[in-house]
Amino acid sequence: MVTSNSTPVAASEQGAAAAPTPSAPLHGTPVVPGIAYAPAVVARGEVSPTALLAFGDGGFDGPDGEAEALAAYDDAAASVAAGSAAKADRSNGATAGVLAASAGLAADRGLRTAVRKNLRGGSDLLTSVRAAVEQFVGVFVGMGGLMAERATDLRDIERRLLARLVGEPEPGVPTPDVPSVLLAEDLAPADTAGLDPDIVLALVTERGGPTSHTAIIARQLGIPCVVGVADLMTIESGTPLLVDGIAGTVETRPDPDAARAAAQADREARAAAASWEGPGRTADGQPVKLLANVADGESAAGAAVTPVEGVGLFRTELCFLNRTEEPSVDEQAAIYAGVLGAFDGDRPVVVRTLDAGSDKPVAFATLPGEENPALGVRGLRLSFSNPGLLERQLDAIAEAAQRTGVTTSVMAPMVATVAEAADFAASVHRRGLRAGVMIEVPSAALLAHRMLEVVDFLSIGTNDLTQYTMAADRMATDLAHLTDPWQPAVLQLIAITADAGRRAGKPVGVCGEAAADPLLASVLVGLGVTSLSMAPAAVRPVGAHLAGVDRAYCEAAAEAALGAVDPASARDAVRALDRST
Ligand code: PEP
Ligand code: MG
């Protein structure tokens, strides 16, 4: 729901109408670079308590009260289902699937039966709906795994049903009439279906970190984004805002002329970046391979038409999130060949073996009921008690590599010891493929030099390396300052790993979200990282940034960031450096 006076007014008009009263900028974690100046439009997550109170028992107390209440429910459910179905039609891929499933939930007969039963039992309409949803949430949570995640969708349906019943617009993301900055507490993938980067010029959220859904979606769409901004939701719709997705600031009512000029300069810089065509190198010619992160054949085909030199991370587990049985070697080989085949022989692909577990449960692989799954049996650890799972996957990858002729490397996630790396590398080498391990656990970074005695390359997964170094859950929405790869302790571990690579003469890449941050990319290159793998949408901004800085700048950036006390001062210190080459 949007706040009452939510019609956005062009920021420039607001600025002209009222004398601007700039206030101190709010600070958050910048996740997608870019500057936008536009009025706020606020997405609200909850139905207003006043409207719920005013609705009361809905006045369904006559002789036909139960039938009337059920008819009101039917109308609300039909509208919610139709809204989700229409959004599904306008979206594609995983988002369309999520929305179609939501439409199905809203129209679910079982939910309606539960509402009717509660009405019969004497409950009023709102209470009946809430209790019915609660009952189904309990069932889904009890089933665990992916089904448990449907509980979030049910809660979303509940909010939409209640809003419809009390006559409010459905909560969620409004569609602004003019270019705006979208503010939200947090965003779910379903909220952001069909977001138009020409209308939503920036995204800012109060919660969420650099690896939150909001950040991932904003990066895919190339929308400047800042997350984890305290007190954000006190801003009213229509307030002119200057959002800086590089500095991580949100200024309310900035000086209009200066704000317009900053946004214009940024638009020009982004237009210049959009025409960058590679290959990745610094201004003085040091090569830095820019690679794509992909999830399946479709995303690989999309990545192949961007100026990437190959794939640095194929997350195989994402192909199997809704599979209950392990696919046969043949079926796996066909799926992997679909990704490899999108690239020609000159553009190599790094396939990661199943990183099932924790935030990515895969029914046929993950152990159920772990107390602390992020620290449990995930990634390579699944092969300890089920070695066949890994062996069959390696067979399928080798088969796909042979079928397509694409140069293929294989790496393992969640490696903690040199012995694990050696065993894994032996299995991969037996199949004639190059072997690497991800550096996601601090123990692996500290022993990078010894890992490199047994593998051909290392790839730093900064999302998990940050989580495990800072002891901060990467999904936690209130720890954005800790789950930030600019944390000097994380950079120190990257420095150790890259230095080991330099000494061994073997490549060390970064494939976590950190690689997609242009400013941080120069720090990573300065630390000695040789390739950066990212969402394809980030490749041009990162490539254009690196093309404008030289090796000396990157080394100075690395030193400045390593010496800072926290992410904000690390960013400030790097931004203060002279970029002229
Ligand atoms: C990482 O941890 O940085 C990484 C690339 O792996 P994932 O995000 O898939 O866990
Ligand atoms: Mg990881």
Side-chain angles (χ1 to χ4, degrees), residues 211 293 313 315 317-318 352 355 359-360 378 411 413 438-440 460-465 474 511-514:
T211 50
N293 290 354
L313 170 63
R315 290 178 160 107
E317 67 282 357
L318 298 186
R352 177 173 76 183
D355 186 22
D359 54 321
K360 290 172 289 192
R378 63 168 287 202
M411 66 182 180
M438 292 190 72
I439 301 294
E440 300 183 289
I460 307 173
T462 45
N463 307 336
D464 278 314
L465 184 61
R474 62 190 271 184
C511 65
E513 296 297 315

Side-chain angles (χ1 to χ4, degrees), residues 529-544:
V529 163
T530 56
S531 69
L532 299 167
S533 191
M534 64 203 82
V539 168
R540 287 191 167 92
V542 169

Side-chain angles (χ1 to χ4, degrees), residues 195-222:
L195 272 192
D196 177 355
D198 289 335
I199 289 289
V200 176
L201 301 188
L203 275 175
V204 188
T205 59
E206 193 164 276
R207 308 178 74 203
T211 50
S212 62
H213 281 134
T214 305
I216 290 165
I217 291 159
R219 204 166 283 124
Q220 270 166 12
L221 296 171

